[in-house]
């Protein structure tokens, strides 16, 4: 009985100590994560589907709000622009809206789970109907958004410390997978006054560029 009591007292003392030494969980301050991109090409358009978790309302205020999951689909014409475009996914679909500034059609819908590796889509492009399969840009080498966040936290320890108020972190993080000639991550932290953004190699996590403003 005495031995059990001593053990209980020891654990009661060590648990708060371990909790105090545990690394801070910055993932609770995520306000946007673009975790995957799916690409497809037809003779009429280029399709990009992005898997996005984003806070609502979306604001540059340094405060992370609860996020919702959805897919964003963009259709960039390779030739003539039709009067109307529709997109249908395994979960639903509907009419896409045209953005006159970018010259592309856009469609989004909420999802319970993101696609993996490939996704079959139907696109009504004017009078034509296209059955198309979009493929993920990620490979076995692609690091996770959580890894990208870890790189940002490690590289900007001092800046994150300056964003604390009474030992409470006051900021939000945005992690976006990008595709150009290869895969990159945009990893940023902002607190309503300052934004620090890193461009990372998505295969290695190496920091390629930094911007603060």
């Amino acid at each position: 009985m005495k031995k059990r009591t001593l053990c209980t007292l020891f654990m009661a003392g060590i648990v708060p100590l371990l909790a105090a030494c545990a690394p801070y969980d910055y993932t609770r301050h995520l306000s946007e994560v673009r975790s995957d991109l799916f690409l497809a090409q037809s003779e009429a358009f280029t399709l990009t589907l992005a898997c996005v978790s984003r806070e609502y309302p979306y604001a540059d205020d340094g405060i992370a709000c609860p996020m919702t999951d959805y897919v964003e689909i963009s259709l960039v014409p390779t030739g003539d622009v039709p009067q109307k475009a529709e997109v249908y996914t395994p979960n639903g679909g509907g009419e896409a809206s045209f953005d006159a500034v970018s010259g592309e059609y856009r469609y989004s819908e909420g999802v319970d789970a993101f696609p993996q590796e490939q996704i079959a889509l139907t696109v009504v492009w004017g009078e034509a109907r296209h059955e198309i399969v979009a493929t993920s840009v990620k490979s076995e080498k692609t690091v996770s958004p959580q890894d990208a966040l870890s790189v940002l936290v490690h590289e900007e320890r001092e800046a994150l410390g300056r964003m604390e108020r009474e030992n409470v972190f006051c900021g939000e993080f945005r992690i976006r997978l990008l595709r150009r000639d290869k895969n990159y991550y945009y990893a940023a932290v902002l607190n309503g006054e300052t934004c620090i953004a890193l461009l990372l190699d998505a295969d290695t996590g190496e920091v390629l560029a930094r911007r603060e403003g």
Side-chain angles (χ1 to χ4, degrees):
M1 179 65 69
K2 182 177 180 180
K3 183 176 181 180
R4 181 179 298 177
T5 301
L6 289 173
C7 182
T8 301
L9 290 173
F10 173 78
M11 291 304 298
I14 198 66
V15 168
L17 179 61
L18 291 174
C21 297
Y24 188 80
D25 182 14
Y26 285 102
T27 59
R28 62 179 128 173
H29 296 281
L30 284 165
S31 62
E32 180 184 13
V33 178
R34 184 193 295 161
S35 56
D36 206 347
L37 291 169
F38 291 74
L39 305 180
Q41 178 81 49
S42 78
E43 70 278 5
F45 55 82
T46 298
L47 181 148
T48 302
L49 181 148
C51 299
V52 180
S53 300
R54 183 178 291 160
E55 68 174 357
Y56 182 82
Y58 189 61
D60 295 336
D61 54 10
I63 302 172
C65 296
M67 297 193 294
T68 56
D69 296 338
Y70 57 96
V71 294
E72 293 180 331
I73 299 173
S74 69
L75 300 164
V76 179
T78 57
D80 295 337
V81 180
Q83 292 295 317
K84 186 174 75 169
E86 299 173 1
V87 179
Y88 294 93
T89 73
N91 298 314
E95 185 173 346
S97 59
F98 184 71
D99 187 325
V101 175
S102 62
E104 64 185 17
Y105 277 98
R106 295 178 178 174
Y107 172 81
S108 65
E109 68 178 24
V111 296
D112 294 325
F114 291 128
Q116 301 292 323
E117 298 184 359
Q118 290 186 332
I119 179 172
L121 303 161
T122 299
V123 177
V124 178
W125 191 251
E127 300 300 322
R129 187 181 184 90
H130 300 261
E131 304 294 337
I132 196 166
V133 175
T135 303
S136 171
V137 302
K138 292 167 60 175
S139 70
E140 294 180 355
K141 295 181 179 180
T142 308
V143 301
S144 70
Q146 290 73 23
D147 291 332
L149 174 62
S150 296
V151 172
L152 175 60
V153 169
H154 179 267
E155 294 292 328
E156 301 296 334
R157 294 185 300 275
E158 293 185 5
L160 298 185
R162 294 194 297 270
M163 292 182 181
E164 292 184 1
R165 300 292 182 271
E166 298 181 355
N167 296 320
V168 176
F169 178 71
C170 300
E172 59 183 323
F173 296 93
R174 293 177 181 169
I175 310 294
R176 301 171 186 156
L177 182 65
L178 308 175
R179 178 70 182 184
R180 299 294 183 266
D181 57 319
K182 56 180 294 184
N183 292 341
Y184 300 92
Y185 272 111
Y186 167 88
V189 58
L190 56 153
N191 66 351
E193 300 174 357
T194 302
C195 178
I196 299 172
L198 304 181
L199 181 67
L200 310 180
D201 185 314
D203 287 343
T204 65
E206 177 187 359
V207 178
L208 303 176
R210 181 185 187 275
R211 184 181 65 189
E212 182 172 354

